[in-house]
Amino acid sequence: MLNFSVETIINILLSIAALLLVFTVHECAHGYAAYLLGDTTAKDAGRLSLNPIKHLDPFGALCLLIFRFGWAKPVPINPYRFKSFRLGTALCSLAGPLSNVIFAFLVNLIWDILFYMNVSVNPYVVSFLQILYVYNLSIAVFNLIPIPPLDGSKILLSVLPQKAYTFVLNYERYGFILLIVLLWTNLLNGILNTGVNNLMMLLGNMSGGILSLFWR
């Protein structure tokens, strides 16, 4: 019989809350980018919302908590409504990971402000900010991997010549299987860790640079 401590239960709840926020921002960014590019599909479906329930895929969120691999409910997008199919698709795909990087930067900035102001912070708030920060960067880096169905594959397709574009599309359906194998064998760990660590350094330097203008 499982015997969870109060600390464990709280950490699980904090992780769930962080996941809901991260996924919500990511999917909403996709939909809003599509809307700005001329596609109202997400708006018409009521997905331009910061309500986490609108974007929640319970099974995908559970998989992320347990297996560190999961997903949200994809925002419906019709790229044929974009003025440029490829450019619109690339920009719309990039919006999701970019929104998570910006979110992570804001979390880092908040933490630095609290540190500079010597504010005493509840340990659970500290844990939540840390989890939120790591989840944002992890999901951003993971989604930029150019393997279907991740956002990175759509960005890559937008710059490929027509022959290569057609070739990749023919094998796109196998991307999810490849992704599972790579994750299961931990072959992506090096790429993910390097990407997250580099982003942490970059965002930390940016946040520190901004605050140094105000606290000398």
Side-chain angles (χ1 to χ4, degrees), residues 150-193:
L150 300 180
D151 296 323
S153 67
K154 298 179 178 65
I155 297 171
L156 175 64
L157 282 170
S158 69
V159 298
L160 289 178
Q162 186 60 44
K163 188 174 181 179
Y165 177 87
T166 303
F167 175 82
V168 174
L169 282 183
N170 288 336
Y171 293 94
E172 186 178 24
R173 61 186 178 276
Y174 301 112
F176 188 79
I177 298 175
L178 174 61
L179 204 55
I180 294 295
V181 171
L182 291 175
L183 287 168
W184 190 261
T185 55
N186 296 322
L187 291 177
L188 289 178
N189 284 2
I191 295 174
L192 294 174
N193 290 336

